[in-house]
Amino acid sequence: MNQQAIIDFINQSDNPKIKYAFTDIDGVLRGKIIHRQKFLDGLIDGFGFCDVVWGWDSTDTPYDNGRVTGWHSGYPDAPVRLDISTFRQLPWEDNIPFFLADFSISQRNETNENQPDYGLAACPRSLLKRVAEQCREMGFHAEFAQEFEWFNFRETPDSLQEKGFRQLQPLTPGMFGYSILRPSLESAFNHDLFDLLSQFDVPLEGLHTETGPGVYEAAIMHDEVVRAADKAVLFKTAVKEIAYRHGLVATFMAKWNADLPGCSGHIHQSLWNLEQTKNLFFDTAQPNHISELMRQYIAGQLYCLPHITPMFAPTINSYKRLVEGAWAPTTVTWSLDNRTTAIRVLNQREAYTRVEHRVSGADTNPYLAIGAALASGLYGIRHKLTLDIPASVGNGYADKRNGVLPTNLAEATQAMATSLVAAELFGTEFVDHFTRTRDWEWRQYARQVSDWELKRYFEII
């Protein structure tokens, strides 16, 4: 639907409400319900939205190291604009019209035109849009999809607090990956996920159980890179909302339990010509049908990965997943259809030849993870990097020829904060803001006393 058709639809609707949202730096959707008249009034100039959303963490605690906004700026409004092309309706909320928004056009300080435009730089969707535009200018159409694993529990937000997040009841017991029985047992939830997500314009390619009690995996249908990220963002929140309606809580934590597998957010990606008639990653004249362009793309991703790891592993918990033997990579490696490496190439047919980035976890902000994957691949093409690293064969955890991934958020953040590569990819303003938020996250963790410490040291030490 074009803009006028959407306006006509909303004007003719019996429902005066519009919902819109955008992600903060952690990938949490923030937004409002507004009256349709406010929606119509704001189509051109946007809406004022308190910029505290760039000045606090996922628990609404203000940063003490922020530059974008803070007590020093008084938390003013910043202009948020709805992207009309993201129009869809919420099938589990009386088909309320819904739009995604971003801060792509923000106003500079009139007294200092050279002041960094942090409002723009901090916005994850705006960052991805800039990377996508660079991709188009290079003559490529980027086709992406993200897949997610997540755990489901027979809990509520209240019961989680009452139980202290312990002794939680999973949706189903036991380890039963690719089960036909378990989804049948929970058929109402299972079919609601598939059907309601499709109605919400987040169609799934597949949905199945993974190994672990109450864990599901879904692959979202591929799309143009920005639309693919939009769908990934909406998927995570939609799953949580649908779960609520079945008396469940869904978690996308990277590793909620040390004894169970973690949750991935793998990114599938390919570059096509602008007409979308040819997959530029596929070349029958090259070994394994891997084109020179694809080799440069992979080389860029491997080269940049240690510089931008927090965009694929953004939380303290992310690094509990990135351990040997846990189905997540720990080395800077690539392979042909091998699930133990950071980059996995799938090249059986031209239409489906693609790169799978396996470092990314379910806890990522899809705009940042997908933006990082595309930007680092384009870096390899721009710089004509050669893929000198041989494809790993067998156990990728043992292949440390090209180095290993950072082992915690502090190490990864420090590497990114001082990286000229990260600055080239995303600009100094974004890198400064993002790494400050990750440093804050690490410091909040470092000041806590864990159950492990109490049990280990309280009486004995």
Side-chain angles (χ1 to χ4, degrees), residues 6-20:
I6 292 171
I7 292 172
D8 293 342
F9 175 85
I10 288 173
N11 276 329
Q12 294 164 13
S13 172
D14 294 333
N15 193 333
K17 295 176 287 189
I18 311 290
K19 181 179 279 192
Y20 76 89

Side-chain angles (χ1 to χ4, degrees), residues 111-168:
T111 63
N112 183 0
E113 293 185 356
N114 294 320
Q115 179 177 332
D117 191 352
Y118 281 110
L120 174 62
C123 176
R125 190 170 190 267
S126 301
L127 180 79
L128 176 58
K129 287 165 66 175
R130 293 199 301 276
V131 175
E133 181 59 30
Q134 293 168 12
C135 183
R136 284 188 292 270
E137 290 173 352
M138 293 173 68
F140 309 129
H141 167 87
E143 193 77 4
F144 273 61
Q146 195 162 9
E147 61 178 90
F148 290 100
E149 298 164 344
W150 76 98
F151 281 80
N152 302 285
F153 296 92
R154 296 188 188 280
E155 303 289 347
T156 66
D158 287 337
S159 71
L160 292 176
Q161 297 292 332
E162 291 166 1
K163 293 183 174 183
F165 296 89
R166 298 180 181 86
Q167 302 299 315
L168 305 181

Side-chain angles (χ1 to χ4, degrees), residues 211-271:
T211 183
V215 61
Y216 277 18
E217 178 176 359
I220 305 170
M221 294 284 283
H222 59 84
D223 204 337
E224 181 275 332
V225 63
V226 176
R227 291 195 296 268
D230 287 342
K231 291 176 179 179
V233 163
L234 294 174
F235 172 85
K236 292 176 69 174
T237 296
V239 165
K240 293 176 184 179
E241 293 190 17
I242 294 168
Y244 283 163
R245 282 154 178 76
H246 287 267
L248 306 172
V249 171
T251 180
F252 289 83
M253 277 186 70
K255 186 87 166 177
W256 87 270
N257 186 303
D259 298 324
L260 295 172
C263 293
S264 71
H266 300 156
I267 303 167
H268 295 259
Q269 49 204 304
S270 59
L271 295 183

Side-chain angles (χ1 to χ4, degrees), residues 262-403:
C263 293
S264 71
H266 300 156
I267 303 167
H268 295 259
Q269 49 204 304
S270 59
L271 295 183
W272 295 65
N273 60 359
L274 293 177
E275 295 76 24
Q276 302 176 47
T277 58
K278 180 174 176 52
N279 186 341
L280 301 177
F281 280 178
F282 188 86
D283 185 347
T284 55
Q286 296 297 322
N288 297 308
H289 297 166
I290 298 175
S291 70
E292 181 60 26
L293 187 83
M294 188 182 191
R295 294 181 67 85
Q296 292 174 349
Y297 191 91
I298 295 170
Q301 292 200 323
L302 293 176
Y303 178 78
C304 295
L305 181 55
H307 297 268
I308 57 174
T309 303
M311 298 179 78
F312 303 109
T315 72
I316 299 296
N317 184 250
S318 302
Y319 299 83
K320 307 295 176 67
R321 167 181 166 263
L322 300 175
V323 295
E324 291 190 12
W327 300 99
T330 59
T331 54
V332 183
T333 46
W334 75 283
S335 67
L336 299 172
D337 197 9
N338 183 328
R339 287 181 169 85
T340 65
T341 59
I343 304 295
R344 174 184 174 222
V345 171
L346 296 106
N347 61 336
Q348 288 80 11
R349 288 192 291 161
E350 178 178 357
Y352 296 102
T353 292
R354 63 195 186 274
V355 169
E356 179 189 29
H357 203 297
R358 295 182 58 82
V359 178
S360 180
D363 58 344
T364 51
N365 180 331
Y367 292 128
L368 298 186
I370 288 175
L374 178 58
S376 56
L378 295 177
Y379 180 96
I381 296 172
R382 276 198 306 271
H383 292 272
K384 292 182 168 48
L385 298 185
T386 57
L387 188 58
D388 297 327
I389 308 163
S392 295
V393 178
N395 185 359
Y397 296 115
D399 187 355
K400 300 179 181 179
R401 290 172 292 180
N402 198 46

